[in-house]
């Protein structure tokens, strides 16, 4: 009998999630009984010390890693038994990812970086201009990453994450490489994307600015949620 989720309206939910890397004497328990939920329209900041399990949890929420035990629901759908191919399709269609180091292709312009994601998702490549305008970069379409500031690069990465209009955004330390003005602009943008467009946004961060602006802060220590 499959488990049922406690919060059927959640964008993402987990129950009893555990993750052990390796085995035997070198095994590391990265997550230990994590019950977690985030709703559409909500910005959730996941905070905790280095090594506490933040990236591991984000990777499981993003269907990039399977847990050792426990269940994950994506928009109410249990994914434990989904084959890898279906999981990949779910990730592509329903999720966008943002990373600390932007992960842009240096030899491609801002527009081309966004087009790579549109192509992967089978969307119209002409959408790139609109997405870059949405993040305030309508005048930087043809700039290469080296011609952009850190904050602008991160906004290109957010535009890329928005390709295909995913309802779930997952960000791992998106402001860690930015000064306070650019960091705040990126967090404000993520908040707008949640509040005005109803996306669920999970932001892993050490940055108190993100915690201050998020709708909810969840703390993790030693693989366990503590609030
Ligand atoms: N691929 C791996 N193999 C073995 N252990 C790992 C692996 N990835 C992470 N770990 C361990 O799992 C635990 C959680 O790591 P994780 O990367 O999730 O932490 P984090 O909270 O994101 O840390 P940071 O803030 O430094 O990014 C740590 O003890 C880490 O050493
Ligand atoms: Mg991490």
């Amino acid at each position: 009998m499959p488990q049922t989720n406690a919060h059927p309206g959640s964008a993402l939910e987990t129950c009893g999630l555990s993750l052990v890397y390796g085995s035997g004497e070198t095994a590391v328990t990265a997550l230990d009984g994590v019950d977690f939920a985030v709703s559409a329209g909500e910005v959730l900041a996941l905070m905790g010390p280095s090594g506490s399990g933040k990236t591991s949890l984000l990777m499981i929420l993003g269907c990039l890693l399977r847990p050792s035990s426990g269940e994950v629901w994506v928009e109410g759908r249990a994914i434990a038994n989904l084959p890898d191919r279906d999981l990949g399709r779910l990730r592509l269609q329903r999720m966008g990812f943002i990373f600390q180091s932007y992960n842009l292709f240096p030899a491609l312009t801002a527009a081309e970086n966004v087009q790579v994601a549109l192509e992967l998702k089978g969307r119209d490549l002409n959408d790139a201009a609109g997405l870059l305008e949405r993040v305030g970069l309508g005048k930087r379409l043809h700039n290469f990453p080296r011609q952009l500031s850190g904050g602008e690069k991160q906004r290109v990465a957010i535009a890329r994450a928005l390709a295909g209009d995913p309802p779930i955004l997952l960000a791992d330390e998106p402001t860690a490489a930015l000064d306070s003005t650019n960091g705040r602009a990126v967090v404000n943008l993520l908040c707008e994307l949640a509040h005005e467009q109803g996306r669920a946004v999970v932001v892993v961060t050490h940055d108190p600015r993100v915690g201050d602006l998020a709708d909810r802060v969840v703390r993790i220590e030693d693989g366990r949620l503590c609030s």
Side-chain angles (χ1 to χ4, degrees), residues 2-135:
Q3 269 181 315
T4 51
N5 50 339
H7 306 95
S10 294
L12 292 170
E13 182 174 348
T14 75
C15 177
L17 208 63
S18 295
L19 176 68
V20 180
Y21 288 109
S23 59
E25 284 189 7
T26 59
V28 175
T29 300
L31 297 173
D32 186 7
V34 170
D35 298 338
F36 173 95
V38 60
S39 305
E42 181 180 39
V43 179
L44 186 150
L46 180 62
M47 305 185 77
S50 182
S52 55
K54 303 182 295 297
T55 295
S56 300
L57 177 55
L58 201 73
M59 285 171 67
I60 292 175
L61 294 173
C63 307
L64 291 159
L65 185 64
R66 290 187 188 266
S68 305
S69 61
E71 183 56 280
V72 181
W73 292 268
V74 177
E75 299 176 306
R77 181 179 185 192
I79 63 167
N81 296 322
L82 278 190
D84 287 348
R85 202 174 43 167
D86 293 354
L87 212 53
R89 194 175 303 131
L90 183 71
R91 186 169 61 229
L92 207 57
Q93 290 174 348
R94 310 305 293 167
M95 298 180 189
F97 294 86
I98 300 151
F99 306 94
Q100 172 179 346
S101 49
Y102 325 126
N103 293 3
L104 300 178
F105 291 108
L108 300 184
T109 63
E112 289 165 346
N113 266 283
V114 176
Q115 284 172 344
V116 170
L118 288 165
E119 171 101 50
L120 264 176
K121 298 187 179 199
R123 298 297 179 119
D124 186 345
L125 301 193
N126 294 315
D127 290 353
L131 290 170
L132 285 162
E133 270 161 35
R134 174 69 193 82
V135 301

Side-chain angles (χ1 to χ4, degrees), residues 51 53-56 172-173 204 206:
K54 303 182 295 297
T55 295
S56 300
D172 199 350
E173 313 246 16
V204 162
H206 286 109

Side-chain angles (χ1 to χ4, degrees), residues 200-216:
V201 179
V202 180
V203 187
V204 162
T205 188
H206 286 109
D207 185 344
R209 296 167 300 186
V210 181
D212 289 346
L213 292 169
D215 300 308
R216 193 152 58 95

